Amino acid sequence: MRRTLIPDLVLDTYGARSSVGVTIEDGRIVEVRPATQGERLPGVALAPGFVNDHSHAFQRGLRGAVERIVPSRPHDDFWTWRERMYALANGLSPDTVREASRRCFEEMLSTGYTSVTEFHYVHHRPDGTPYEDPNALAKAVVLAAEDAGIRLLLLPVAYARGGLPRFRDASVRAFLRRVDDLRAWSEGRPLVEVGIAAHSVRAVPRGWLEEIGGYAKERDLPLHIHADEQQREIEECLSEHGVRPVELLAQAGFLGPDTTIIHATHAGDGELDLLAEHGASVCACPTTEGNLGDGFLPAEGILARGIRLSVGSDSHVRIDPFEELREIETNARRLAGRRNVLLGENETSPTPYLLRAGWGRDGIEPGDAADLVEIDPALADVEPRNLPSALVFGAGAGGVVRTWVDGRHAPDDNPGSSTFSAGL
Ligand SMILES: [Zn+2]
């Protein structure tokens, strides 16, 4: 079915235009041009949907539960938080994974995210033995995304050592066999793509990194890994391998244009140079990194090298794409002691750079998936050319009226309805 939407305004990274029609056919944008005939969307601004590039959906169950000190652990940090997260992960079943993921994905849609990259590492029964279907939990995540109506890039995550028994596969061969099966099973599911990931250089040895990197490159798959999130991770990598995490990834053939480094919080200049050289990307998760006390990514160094940036809500302490983007610039301002820090080449505002990180594109373009977000009319009294900046710096997910995925309204168009019905 072909239809043309005519909102009051169509947004891109640089401003807003009126009297523009967005024509959709078979889930894709086919035309964006001046139009007078079509379905009016009165009082809303239409923008690309936000891409949530890093999620552990089940961790939403920790929201509010970990914001106090436990007397036995007066020093609370990433590592003590991780013990609480492990306790949650150990109690999951296929049914609760599906239910928790669905709630999380519905909340994402209500905040303007239209696609999510799920970094999925809880694979087996609590004692480590596989389920009858070894991909039972991964498939529960897929079904949850389909229940919610969100686009999903599912990343089965390799985990070789440490963590919980249920995270680990016996060998990289066994892991890749599961990935093969999952890719075959997901074919013909229009909202689902399967990529691949390694958890971290802590959890995955060099031999596995080499095999997984090779597997992804042969098949042009998106390839993700957590790296440089913690100082301790870097110290352990130096003592095991004599190099820093991103240097190890470069040596192992893990870096390329389809590779995304999650966090890169403590990446040094040499590591950023390597990412730029290989065309790899960085995904920042500022609300989670702030909540865990991890630190703040080297945003100016990433921008200066032209490294592609995306954002993720990661642990879901908060789900709000506007807040993730704002945090990147406002943290950079706090550190630099000045304003308008993250300026792309020949740009006078950080807004285009930030929105590009959130949307993965500059605006609604022919050929793109029809994944869209309608923004609250209350912002329509801002001067159109200032509207993108008003969104990034002066708005939040409450301004999202409705999302479209694959050319259709997301089923749950009632913002906030599931926000606090958390839990498993
Ligand atoms: Zn993560």
Side-chain angles (χ1 to χ4, degrees):
M1 184 178 127
R2 187 182 175 96
R3 59 201 296 192
T4 298
L5 309 176
I6 308 181
D8 278 6
L9 295 166
V10 171
L11 282 180
D12 58 35
T13 53
Y14 293 99
R17 293 170 293 160
S18 57
S19 307
V20 170
V22 175
T23 304
I24 296 171
E25 192 170 15
D26 296 330
R28 303 210 79 80
I29 309 288
V30 291
E31 260 176 14
V32 182
R33 63 176 189 183
T36 52
Q37 300 289 314
E39 298 168 49
R40 297 273 167 190
L41 300 177
V44 304
L46 196 64
F50 290 96
V51 177
N52 193 344
D53 207 19
H54 189 67
S55 161
H56 310 284
F58 79 89
Q59 292 180 10
R60 182 175 175 275
L62 289 175
R63 188 183 290 172
V66 290
E67 307 302 339
R68 63 176 68 85
I69 293 285
V70 179
S72 58
R73 289 296 186 89
H75 178 90
D76 192 7
D77 61 11
F78 170 86
W79 306 100
T80 44
W81 171 87
R82 194 178 67 157
E83 289 170 17
R84 316 278 286 274
M85 183 270 283
Y86 282 178
L88 178 68
N90 218 23
L92 295 169
S93 70
D95 285 347
T96 56
V97 163
R98 181 170 176 177
E99 175 63 10
S101 302
R102 180 186 60 77
R103 286 171 189 255
C104 189
F105 296 154
E106 284 176 356
E107 185 183 344
M108 287 180 198
L109 284 165
S110 77
T111 69
Y113 286 119
T114 53
S115 74
V116 57
T117 304
E118 179 68 17
F119 195 97
H120 174 75
Y121 59 87
V122 186
H123 301 303
H124 305 299
R125 295 180 205 271
D127 67 0
T129 56
Y131 286 97
E132 196 171 329
D133 177 349
N135 281 314
L137 292 178
K139 290 178 182 176
V141 173
V142 170
L143 297 175
E146 291 176 339
D147 292 344
I150 198 166
R151 190 179 299 281
L152 173 70
L153 169 57
L154 178 65
L155 304 177
V157 175
Y159 214 112
R161 58 192 186 186
L164 297 178
R166 67 185 319 185
F167 300 167
R168 301 194 292 258
D169 280 284
S171 67
V172 69
R173 292 270 160 228
F175 168 70
L176 293 175
R177 208 172 312 123
R178 283 201 306 109
V179 178
D180 280 338
D181 290 347
L182 194 58
R183 291 177 62 232
W185 176 82
S186 67
E187 268 174 33
R189 292 177 174 266
L191 294 184
V192 181
E193 182 186 352
V194 176
I196 191 167
H199 183 275
S200 56
V201 301
R202 278 190 281 115
V204 179
R206 179 175 173 143
W208 285 46
L209 293 172
E210 288 168 353
E211 293 253 4
I212 293 163
Y215 179 96
K217 279 183 187 169
E218 272 169 33
R219 294 160 182 79
D220 292 326
L221 298 182
L223 173 65
H224 289 212
I225 186 166
H226 296 122
D228 287 329
E229 183 177 11
Q230 298 294 329
Q231 292 289 5
R232 188 170 118 190
E233 164 205 338
I234 295 168
E235 288 155 19
E236 287 173 0
C237 188
L238 280 166
S239 78
E240 182 179 0
H241 301 286
V243 290
R244 295 171 67 88
V246 172
E247 293 167 343
L248 177 66
L249 296 175
Q251 289 177 4
F254 200 89
L255 298 183
D258 294 322
T259 308
T260 300
I261 302 297
I262 312 303
H263 303 303
T265 307
H266 303 287
D269 283 346
E271 291 179 289
L272 294 179
D273 289 343
L274 282 172
L275 295 181
E277 206 176 288
H278 288 87
S281 307
V282 167
C283 177
C285 309
T287 59
T288 292
E289 291 150 3
N291 186 270
L292 296 178
D294 288 346
F296 177 61
L297 82 161
E300 287 193 79
I302 288 168
L303 171 71
R305 289 169 179 81
I307 296 168
R308 198 169 57 246
L309 185 69
S310 57
V311 293
S313 62
D314 193 358
S315 69
H316 313 300
V317 60
R318 177 94 172 105
I319 299 180
D320 183 331
F322 304 89
E323 191 167 331
E324 300 295 346
L325 299 179
R326 183 161 54 240
E327 285 254 316
I328 294 173
E329 170 66 18
T330 50
N331 275 325
R333 290 183 185 188
R334 289 182 180 101
L335 291 173
R338 55 195 167 84
R339 305 186 67 249
N340 292 314
V341 175
L342 298 174
L343 302 179
E345 212 173 331
N346 301 320
E347 286 177 356
T348 54
S349 164
T351 296
Y353 177 69
L354 296 169
L355 283 175
R356 226 172 276 134
W359 292 337
R361 44 189 164 152
D362 269 303
I364 301 171
E365 300 281 353
D368 289 346
D371 294 356
L372 302 165
V373 55
E374 294 178 30
I375 312 278
D376 195 295
L379 285 173
D381 62 353
V382 174
E383 212 180 305
R385 71 186 182 94
N386 293 333
L387 197 50
S389 292
L391 289 181
V392 172
F393 292 100
V400 171
V401 178
R402 193 162 65 164
T403 44
W404 296 67
V405 178
D406 211 38
R408 292 186 298 274
H409 294 156
D412 182 3
D413 284 327
N414 183 9
S417 65
S418 58
T419 304
F420 292 110
S421 51
L424 294 169

